[in-house]
Amino acid sequence: MKKAANYAWSLVSGEGLTQLMKVGIIGVFNTIVHFSISNVLKFGYGWSDFWAVTVAFSTATAGSYVLNRRWTFAIKHGKGLLRETMVFYTVNLIAWAVTVSVVEIADVLVGPLDGWTFNLAQIAAVGIVLLPKFASYRDLVFAKSRKDAGHQVLAGRHRTE
């Protein structure tokens, strides 16, 4: 139990808090990109919820990878890019599935989504996936590259070593 508490604390204190805030800032930027694209595709071009969310999510994810790698986790070298990219996209594929599911469930529960309910469903999905995505970025995606670059890695501790 203490290990779980220490891990949870590591996500929201010290370096973890700084990283979480950076992931959040990047998330806000990418959410604006995502919402802009998804709304144009859905309401401007009549695309289905699924395809509008999928194209917008894919575009925002590419930007998120670059920004989180360079700014949040301060990785400048190119070592480990293939593994890192694959894990990053796997994490985001799960987040995409949650996002699409939340939007589709909202569509079933509320009926055809207008601009307001479509975006509320997407905001709900962001709230559901934010902390798990951050933990995955820190502990699965970028931990090895950070360690290889000589950064201290939190990975379950509430303070750096």
Side-chain angles (χ1 to χ4, degrees):
M1 186 69 156
K2 183 176 180 170
K3 213 175 208 182
N6 283 344
Y7 179 77
W9 183 249
S10 77
L11 294 173
V12 295
S13 66
E15 184 182 21
L17 182 59
T18 300
Q19 291 170 342
L20 179 59
M21 288 190 312
K22 287 180 177 181
V23 167
I25 291 166
I26 292 167
V28 168
F29 172 75
N30 284 322
T31 298
I32 292 167
V33 170
H34 173 98
F35 278 36
S36 299
I37 293 169
S38 65
N39 279 275
V40 166
L41 295 177
K42 179 176 174 56
F43 300 110
Y45 291 100
W47 287 26
S48 70
D49 295 345
F50 175 86
W51 285 111
V53 168
T54 299
V55 170
F57 201 92
S58 299
T59 304
T61 297
S64 178
Y65 173 75
V66 172
L67 291 170
N68 276 300
R69 185 175 209 280
R70 302 277 296 172
W71 185 48
T72 304
F73 298 101
I75 302 166
K76 308 291 189 231
H77 61 83
K79 189 175 177 185
L81 279 174
L82 180 61
R83 179 205 134 316
E84 196 178 271
T85 303
M86 289 173 46
V87 175
F88 187 86
Y89 274 88
T90 300
V91 166
N92 280 284
L93 184 61
I94 294 165
W96 164 83
V98 171
T99 302
V100 168
S101 296
V102 169
V103 170
E104 293 298 332
I105 290 168
D107 188 64
V108 168
L109 294 176
V110 176
L113 301 178
D114 61 16
W116 179 249
T117 54
F118 179 68
N119 290 313
L120 278 177
Q122 293 189 101
I123 289 169
V126 167
I128 292 167
V129 302
L130 179 63
L131 197 56
K133 276 177 60 173
F134 165 63
S136 297
Y137 290 174
R138 186 188 77 170
D139 299 335
L140 299 175
V141 177
F142 298 114
K144 183 173 181 349
S145 294
R146 286 179 47 78
K147 184 177 177 189
D148 290 348
H151 294 276
Q152 294 177 348
V153 178
L154 295 173
R157 291 185 252 323
H158 67 277
R159 58 185 171 75
T160 57
E161 301 175 342

